[in-house]
């Protein structure tokens, strides 16, 4: 039985014994003033001056947050993200000081999640270790609350009768193959850039049997994740926000949600490594030039009705369906002009056309553009070639895992 | 004709590095406090505050030491500053030190820039860039002789010539905290004022036109898009209006017309544009739901927005200039922006602040952020007329004079 004292001990077992051993190698972009403040925060923590440490951490977090929001994300210096992670780490530890009530520990877990979402690895991935300790402590005292709607995966049960299942009788469907050899896949699909659905490849992954709303809540319920709110990312009312998985499920997956919420394009498996054990990297990825570590794995978890507008990505994609079904439409890059991409830099990879409700006057060529479509079901993997335009709508409560590789 | 009213500087907001900001008690000051300038009796003509330190530029006049306990109250000198550019720069906070012979200084985390009189008359002015930690001792990181301003110094000081740093006196170039440090401006621009944000630049020209360039991902350029602009681009939306002031925050921009109207654009994540923001709504504090008359004089606001009574939509980014009305129809004369907050001085000597308030930088005796302009009561209560404001990233410095006694 874990008491607050045990939590405190468990955390300190993960930290360096002395503040001198706290390696602050942040690179030359991080100014001396920040390094000094960070050293001060460490001193305060090791000196048991927790309230002051928390105050100092706030300044560090706010300042590095500003750096994280300056310039394109890919250009943000790693040092700033590490400062952010250090701020999160020290803040989380302070919050867990005895008596360490449940609210404080939950706040500490949130701080760690912010570090995992926006920071960069420090002290040998210490934030992952700390979150494991915190989660264990939070769950040890109580049973996970059973979710009101325990929908196991794979059951094709619509929440209501008004699901617009597309009439695909006139549509050309994506070909399906059962466990093709690597060479066959490369010769007929990867090299020529043709979509295909792979069957028999992912259907035995543990996630296919294990994942349900209840399981997800048990493993990840208290973890903070980014959620997109609004019917699609091209809408004016669209926004991104943070909340725990429990909050996401209760607000956007439970009964009668007011808005569409989508846990989309999030590297959940880096944040919660335990879930990674339930999936595998498709063998076909080895046909690419990149390393396995460079493969980006994203989770896509949301209610019936989420829509990803027609867009293209700069890498090859294996989209594995775990829970529920998705209607997917694919257009070749050769048809790009007929898809009327936005002319701004930010959205040049996104079409202006609403695929299932196109404005035929504004976008006359769209109706004639040939396409392939499918309904992707649990256990199946869709290969989306690089730059292939794709549109996705969830027909049920859905969980997909995508693998971007080169 | 010279004014003889006693004026003084005040400061509030973040002072976590011990920078001069009133009493400097603790790390934050939530209500204006008289500035304790390093050394007594200094006539501070400019305040340039970076995140971790503040630079005070003083006119080289020896004034009688004020009685102990009195707030330093230098009077505006009736004679113009020495043409050779006497005056000192005094640093406090993470960077400390002082140097003489300085006409102007500009503080940033990467660089402290000073304008110094060259040795002997006719020797031109030298632009020096120092690392903040150098305490202005030893050699500057970089130095360059710069051409003089074409107009003579007048009693008004900075107002009549090309504006303060980072714009150089000749208006042909400006200083950047990141290399290249010396950046020429096209002579056709006839720059009068220049301000730098985290990723963008704003320029006011002799004809009262506003130009912007740099990063635009938060709408801070005001051209209606989120695209970057490599070169100064005229703000078309302001054509026909004559601007008197420009101010740049971290990711937002503001200008004040000769008539006293405020135009504001860019990022509104903390309400720094005085537009309804989602983050404050979630805390129950957005302007979209404000109602009633506040003591600070802000007008009654029923639910802002549509005729059907629906609350105004939240605005995260405003990519075009928006006209902002101050309460009671007051005219603006001066403005300055911090990282995520805004401060405006009215013709009648009042100070309004709004935006991010976590470190007390709004001066309303608390740490609440606001998405509507609120008057800083301190100056009203003390019968002080605010003359100018200068914001650091997380703090605010104000120069005010005592009201005329009738």
């Amino acid at each position: 039985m874990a008491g607050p004292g045990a939590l405190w001990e468990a955390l300190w077992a993960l930290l360096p014994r002395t503040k001198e051993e706290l390696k602050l190698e942040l690179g030359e972009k991080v100014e001396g003033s920040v390094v000094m403040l960070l050293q001060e925060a460490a001193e305060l923590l090791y000196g048991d001056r927790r309230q002051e440490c928390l105050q100092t951490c706030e300044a560090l977090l706010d300042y590095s947050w500003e750096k994280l929001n300056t310039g394109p994300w890919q250009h943000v210096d790693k040092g700033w993200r590490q400062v952010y992670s250090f701020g999160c780490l020290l803040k989380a530890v302070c919050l867990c000081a005895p008596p360490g009530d449940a609210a404080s520990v939950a706040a500490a877990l949130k701080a760690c999640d912010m570090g995992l979402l926006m920071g960069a690895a420090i002290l040998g991935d210490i934030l992952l270790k700390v979150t494991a300790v915190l989660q264990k402590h939070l769950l040890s005292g109580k049973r996970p609350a059973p979710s009101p709607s325990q929908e196991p995966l794979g059951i094709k049960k619509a929440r209501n009768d008004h699901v617009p299942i597309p009439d695909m009788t006139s549509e050309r469907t994506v070909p399906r193959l059962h466990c093709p050899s690597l060479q066959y896949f490369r010769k007929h699909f990867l090299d020529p850039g043709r979509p295909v659905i792979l069957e028999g490849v992912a259907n035995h992954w543990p996630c296919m049997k294990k994942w349900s709303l209840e399981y997800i809540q048990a493993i990840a319920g208290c973890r903070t994740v980014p959620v997109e709110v609004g019917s699609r990312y091209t809408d004016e009312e669209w926004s991104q926000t943070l909340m725990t998985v429990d909050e996401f499920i209760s607000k956007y997956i439970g009964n009668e949600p007011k808005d569409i919420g989508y846990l989309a394009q999030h590297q959940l498996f880096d944040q919660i490594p335990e879930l990674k054990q339930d999936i595998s990297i498709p063998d076909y990825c080895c046909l690419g030039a990149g390393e396995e570590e460079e493969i980006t794995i994203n989770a896509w978890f949301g209610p019936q009705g989420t829509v990803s507008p027609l867009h293209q990505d700069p890498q090859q994609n294996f989209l594995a369906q775990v829970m529920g079904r998705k209607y997917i439409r694919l257009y070749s890059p050769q048809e790009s002009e007929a898809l009327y991409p936005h002319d701004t830099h930010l959205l040049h990879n996104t079409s202006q056309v609403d695929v299932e409700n196109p404005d035929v006057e504004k976008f006359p060529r769209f109706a004639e553009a040939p396409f392939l479509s499918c309904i992707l079901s649990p256990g199946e993997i869709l290969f989306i070639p690089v730059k292939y335009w794709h549109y996705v709508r969830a027909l049920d409560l859905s969980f997909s895992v995508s693998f971007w590789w080169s | 004709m010279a004014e003889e009213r006693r004026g003084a500087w005040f400061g509030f907001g973040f002072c976590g590095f011990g920078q001069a900001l009133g009493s400097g008690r603790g790390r934050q000051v939530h209500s204006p406090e008289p500035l304790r300038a390093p050394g007594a009796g200094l006539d501070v003509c400019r305040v340039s505050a970076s995140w971790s330190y503040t630079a005070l530029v003083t006119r080289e006049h020896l004034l009688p030491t004020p009685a102990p306990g009195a707030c330093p109250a230098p009077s505006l000198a009736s004679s113009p500053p020495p043409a050779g550019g006497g005056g000192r720069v005094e640093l406090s906070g993470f960077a400390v030190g002082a140097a003489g012979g300085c006409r102007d200084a500009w503080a940033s985390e990467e660089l402290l820039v000073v304008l110094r009189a060259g040795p002997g008359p006719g020797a031109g002015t030298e632009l020096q860039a120092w690392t903040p930690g150098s305490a202005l001792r030893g050699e500057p990181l970089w130095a360059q002789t710069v051409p003089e301003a074409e107009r003579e110094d007048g009693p008004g000081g900075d107002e009549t010539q090309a504006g303060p740093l980072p714009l150089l006196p000749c208006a042909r170039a400006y200083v950047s905290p990141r290399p290249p440090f010396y950046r020429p401006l096209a002579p056709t621009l006839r720059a009068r004022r220049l301000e730098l944000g985290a990723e963008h630049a704003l320029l006011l020209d002799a004809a009262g036109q506003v130009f912007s360039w740099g990063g635009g991902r938060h709408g801070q350029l005001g051209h209606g898009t989120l695209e970057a602009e490599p070169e100064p681009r005229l703000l078309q939306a302001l054509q026909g209006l004559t601007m008197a002031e420009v101010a740049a925050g971290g990711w937002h921009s503001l200008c004040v017309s000769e008539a006293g109207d405020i135009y504001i654009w860019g990022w509104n994540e903390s309400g720094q544009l005085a537009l309804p923001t989602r983050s404050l709504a979630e805390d129950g504090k957005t302007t979209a739901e404000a109602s009633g008359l506040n003591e600070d004089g802000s007008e009654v606001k029923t639910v802002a927005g549509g005729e059907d009574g629906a609350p105004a939509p939240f605005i995260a980014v405003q990519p075009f200039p928006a006209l902002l009305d101050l309460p009671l129809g007051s005219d603006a004369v001066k403005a300055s922006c911090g990282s995520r907050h805004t401060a405006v001085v009215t013709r009648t000597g009042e100070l309004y602040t709004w935006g991010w308030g976590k470190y007390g930088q709004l001066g309303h005796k608390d740490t609440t952020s606001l998405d509507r302009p609120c008057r800083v009561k301190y100056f009203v209560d003390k019968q002080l007329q605010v003359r100018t404001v200068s914001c650091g990233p997380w703090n605010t410095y104000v120069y005010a004079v005592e009201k005329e006694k009738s």
Side-chain angles (χ1 to χ4, degrees), chain A residues 33 40 55 58 62 66 345, chain B residues 27 109 227 339 358-359:
Chain A
S33 51
E40 192 182 300
Q55 254 205 329
E58 282 307 305
D62 286 327
E66 293 191 355
H345 175 72
Chain B
R27 299 145 175 280
E109 287 305 293
E227 308 281 298
S339 237
K358 183 169 171 181
Y359 292 91

Side-chain angles (χ1 to χ4, degrees), chain A residues 12-258:
Chain A
W12 276 98
L14 295 172
L15 289 168
R17 227 174 22 88
T18 64
K19 71 172 194 291
E20 285 74 26
E21 292 168 49
L22 208 66
K23 296 256 178 281
L24 301 176
E25 276 133 28
L26 301 163
E28 45 175 55
K29 288 281 194 269
V30 176
E31 297 117 14
S33 51
V34 176
V35 175
M36 197 195 87
L37 205 61
L38 189 46
Q39 284 165 343
E40 192 182 300
E43 253 182 58
L44 291 167
L45 175 67
Y46 281 81
D48 261 342
R49 290 157 67 184
R50 287 167 225 139
Q51 278 315 306
E52 293 172 77
C53 179
L54 280 172
Q55 254 205 329
T56 311
C57 286
E58 282 307 305
L60 282 165
L61 288 170
D62 286 327
Y63 190 72
S64 53
W65 182 90
E66 293 191 355
K67 295 295 186 189
L68 266 46
N69 278 279
T70 302
W73 177 253
Q74 312 89 286
H75 296 164
V76 173
D77 190 77
K78 190 165 92 160
W80 289 117
R81 297 175 58 192
Q82 288 174 321
V83 171
Y84 190 82
S85 288
F86 271 111
C88 292
L89 173 69
L90 299 180
K91 174 175 177 175
V93 174
C94 284
L95 288 171
C96 291
D101 60 274
S104 300
V105 178
L109 183 57
K110 174 160 184 191
C112 288
D113 273 332
M114 295 304 292
L116 288 170
L117 292 176
M118 305 218 288
I122 49 167
L123 303 177
D125 270 324
I126 195 171
L127 281 176
L128 283 174
K129 298 175 189 158
V130 171
T131 53
V133 166
L134 293 178
Q135 215 172 345
K136 195 163 144 193
H137 180 87
L138 270 177
L139 297 173
S140 69
K142 51 175 186 160
R143 315 242 106 252
S147 78
S149 56
Q150 296 184 34
E151 241 117 69
L153 59 97
I155 293 188
K156 294 177 185 154
K157 198 166 74 172
R159 264 178 48 250
N160 58 49
D161 293 327
H162 304 294
V163 182
I165 308 260
D167 172 12
M168 295 169 64
T169 45
S170 58
E171 298 183 1
R172 285 175 53 225
T173 57
V174 180
R176 290 162 172 271
L177 283 182
H178 185 91
C179 289
S181 69
L182 292 176
Q183 295 88 318
Y184 191 92
F185 171 76
R186 171 163 50 198
K187 180 171 171 197
H188 291 95
F189 298 97
L190 177 58
D191 285 348
R194 294 210 180 96
V196 62
I197 292 180
L198 305 171
E199 295 172 339
V201 175
N203 56 325
H204 292 306
W205 292 357
C207 59
M208 301 302 170
K209 285 213 169 73
K210 281 169 81 177
W211 289 8
S212 64
L213 279 182
E214 190 190 38
Y215 177 84
I216 291 166
Q217 282 183 289
I219 301 271
C222 48
R223 305 299 300 271
T224 298
V225 290
V227 170
E228 302 180 355
V229 180
S231 41
R232 54 199 76 197
Y233 69 78
T234 41
D235 262 5
E236 256 188 35
E237 290 299 304
W238 184 88
S239 68
Q240 290 174 295
T241 186
L242 296 162
M243 62 186 72
T244 64
V245 171
D246 279 338
E247 287 166 343
F248 171 67
I249 290 176
S250 100
K251 198 166 177 186
Y252 296 103
I253 299 207
N255 294 327
E256 318 276 337
K258 289 198 200 116

Side-chain angles (χ1 to χ4, degrees), chain B residues 171-213:
Chain B
R172 296 304 167 88
Y174 67 101
V175 191
S176 164
R178 286 171 287 280
F181 300 134
Y182 183 90
R183 300 200 181 184
L185 288 166
T188 46
L189 280 174
R190 298 187 307 148
R192 207 167 91 210
R193 282 273 192 285
L194 187 143
E195 289 236 330
L196 299 178
E199 312 174 49
H200 75 297
L202 285 183
L203 184 150
L204 176 68
D205 78 358
Q209 299 183 119
V210 179
F211 295 77
S212 68
W213 67 100

